[in-house]
Amino acid sequence: MEVILKTDIKGLGYKNDLVEVKPGYGRNYLIPQGFAVLATSSNKKILEENIKQAAHKAEKIKTEAEAVAGKIDELTLEIKAKIGDSGKIFGKVTTLQLSDALAEKGIEVDRKKIAITQPVTTSGEYEAEVDLHREVKTSIKFVVVAE
């Protein structure tokens, strides 16, 4: 079953992508939730027209995302956490903490666009992936230190 995505869906695709999904997933979840529409010939024509009109706007958004990625590449964030005698962290380092630390540096990134790739269990240096745009992805370095 072919559908046109109305929003970005992690693991499936980005807004205005034409994707192939299983019929039950499309009929019972994507379409009723408003995340997608059925890819009929008329909807495909509407999609093509929308893409043409949005090309200039999309280029501007991509340029802004690249500028933010350049700022992020230069940073190393310091995340404070409670650490025990053995060096292990009590609790977790979350994407919300990374998003807040970026906001303190003047960079606004939604926490849902940040993914911590490896488990953060002790103090030290780590990396997280930041998906700023469909074509702009970067990684952010952060150091976990004792509070």
Side-chain angles (χ1 to χ4, degrees):
M1 168 183 230
E2 276 191 325
V3 294
I4 299 169
L5 297 179
K6 290 173 132 183
T7 60
D8 296 349
I9 298 178
K10 192 171 185 174
L12 187 58
Y14 296 96
K15 182 178 180 177
N16 293 332
D17 279 356
L18 185 67
V19 294
E20 186 76 28
V21 296
K22 291 189 177 182
Y25 183 52
R27 252 192 331 270
N28 299 324
Y29 180 68
L30 293 175
I31 294 172
Q33 295 292 325
F35 296 146
V37 293
L38 197 56
T40 61
S41 61
S42 62
N43 283 344
K44 287 179 184 177
K45 287 178 186 174
I46 292 169
L47 171 67
E48 289 174 18
E49 188 61 34
N50 288 344
I51 289 173
K52 285 179 190 174
Q53 292 176 358
H56 178 68
K57 185 178 175 184
E59 187 62 36
K60 182 180 175 190
I61 291 170
K62 181 181 174 188
T63 306
E64 290 172 359
E66 288 172 342
V68 170
K71 291 179 186 176
I72 288 175
D73 285 339
E74 298 169 1
L75 289 178
T76 300
L77 298 177
E78 188 173 290
I79 306 295
K80 296 186 183 213
K82 291 185 180 180
I83 299 177
D85 295 334
S86 63
K88 287 197 171 195
I89 295 174
F90 292 120
K92 275 183 157 179
V93 172
T94 63
T95 56
L96 181 61
Q97 289 173 301
L98 292 175
S99 178
D100 290 344
L102 282 171
E104 288 176 10
K105 302 278 186 184
I107 302 170
E108 292 295 324
V109 176
D110 186 19
R111 68 180 180 88
K112 294 175 186 168
K113 296 185 179 205
I114 301 173
I116 299 174
T117 52
Q118 71 251 27
V120 180
T121 55
T122 61
S123 61
E125 288 190 24
Y126 295 93
E127 280 193 7
E129 296 295 319
V130 183
D131 186 6
L132 296 169
H133 184 268
R134 67 170 42 188
E135 298 172 10
V136 181
K137 293 173 180 41
T138 187
S139 63
I140 184 167
K141 296 176 186 76
F142 64 97
V143 179
V144 177
V145 296
E147 243 178 13

